Amino acid sequence: GQNIDQPTEMTATEGAIVQINCTYQTSGFNGLFWYQQHAGEAPTFLSYNVLDGLEEKGRFSSFLSRSKGYSYLLLKELQMKDSASYLCAGTSGTYKYIFGTGTRLKVLA
Amino acid sequence: DGGITQSPKYLFRKEGQNVTLSCEQNLNHDAMYWYRQDPGQGLRLIYYSQIVNDFQKGDIAEGYSVSREKKESFPLTVTSAQKNPTAFYLCASSIGSGGEQFFGPGTRLTVL
């Protein structure tokens, strides 16, 4: 079957580093997306991993291990505006994407 | 600027009424999608369309209908058969299969 798991909520302090994990149990996933969603707004694209390893984009990095069914999003130098939900989504290259429930991140001053 | 628009942002309807949510994109994307988002749940796929005049049911299509008469437009009708229609509805598009999805701002539907 296809299932994506991520923690429901995390809290971190401004300026710190936080890692949001995502695990999936599925066959056929060949790519993992991360999206950021502020409350009541549209998800916006952060990263896409199709190969194993780390992809770095400014303060945000994403890691994928396909053999372990595991991905994480790393946020450095946290800012208050990073308070949002972070959605992990898998794709098998078809038109169907499987989304996790999202991790609500609270950044405290 | 290219993007996806959804209207209205907030919509209120009485129980038993059908309602149509608008979604328009000028990104020249072939694929379009409708998702429903409820508190504490991930995005759930209602319908998707790979190309004009074609659409497929997603995981929770019951009580919903769509059309794709133009590449730019993919309206969603929430019918009276949908048992729990109050939710946040998101429209998205992508160039093709498996690629990055671009999302509209969403419509929050409340059925009274």
Side-chain angles (χ1 to χ4, degrees):
Chain A
Q2 297 182 323
N3 193 45
I4 289 188
D5 294 310
Q6 44 181 140
T8 303
E9 195 168 295
M10 298 182 72
T11 302
T13 306
E14 197 175 13
I17 299 173
V18 70
Q19 178 174 312
I20 302 174
N21 296 325
C22 169
T23 57
Y24 58 95
Q25 302 88 39
T26 186
S27 59
F29 268 10
N30 60 8
L32 248 288
F33 291 90
W34 283 97
Y35 289 87
Q36 180 191 60
Q37 185 180 25
H38 286 97
E41 298 183 10
T44 54
F45 171 80
L46 289 177
S47 68
Y48 174 53
N49 293 69
V50 64
L51 298 175
D52 288 355
L54 189 68
E55 295 271 349
E56 296 188 74
K57 247 191 214 183
R59 294 191 299 115
F60 291 10
S61 303
S62 58
F63 171 84
L64 177 66
S65 169
R66 289 173 296 170
S67 61
K68 295 182 179 177
Y70 170 66
S71 174
Y72 68 72
L73 181 70
L74 192 71
L75 292 76
K76 302 176 189 173
E77 301 167 18
L78 279 174
Q79 302 175 9
M80 298 299 287
K81 67 179 182 180
D82 297 330
S83 291
S85 288
Y86 291 86
L87 313 179
C88 175
T91 173
S92 55
T94 68
Y95 292 90
K96 284 196 166 186
Y97 300 71
I98 305 298
F99 283 83
T101 56
T103 299
R104 197 163 50 248
L105 174 66
K106 294 182 185 176
V107 179
L108 305 176
Chain B
D1 286 337
I4 300 184
T5 57
Q6 291 183 243
S7 60
K9 179 82 172 166
Y10 298 96
L11 189 55
F12 296 88
R13 279 293 182 269
K14 290 184 179 178
E15 198 171 332
Q17 290 181 332
N18 290 357
V19 60
T20 297
L21 281 58
S22 165
C23 177
E24 304 277 330
Q25 55 100 358
N26 60 3
L27 299 167
N28 201 33
H29 285 172
D30 284 317
M32 296 187 74
Y33 313 78
W34 274 106
Y35 291 94
R36 170 182 172 137
Q37 188 174 36
D38 295 283
Q41 297 199 38
L43 274 64
R44 292 185 290 166
L45 183 65
I46 304 172
Y47 268 98
Y48 66 98
S49 169
Q50 301 174 34
I51 200 165
V52 175
N53 293 322
D54 178 72
F55 49 83
Q56 308 293 331
K57 291 182 179 180
D59 300 317
I60 55 165
E62 186 175 347
Y64 299 98
S65 66
V66 293
S67 62
R68 187 87 186 275
E69 297 175 3
K70 297 187 300 183
K71 188 175 188 177
E72 303 79 18
S73 179
F74 191 41
L76 173 74
T77 297
V78 185
T79 75
S80 56
Q82 168 49 234
K83 303 231 183 302
N84 186 19
T86 294
F88 187 49
Y89 291 88
L90 286 160
C91 179
S93 71
S94 66
I95 292 176
S97 63
E100 176 189 347
Q101 291 183 308
F102 294 78
F103 287 86
T107 293
R108 187 167 297 281
L109 172 65
T110 302
V111 175
L112 307 170

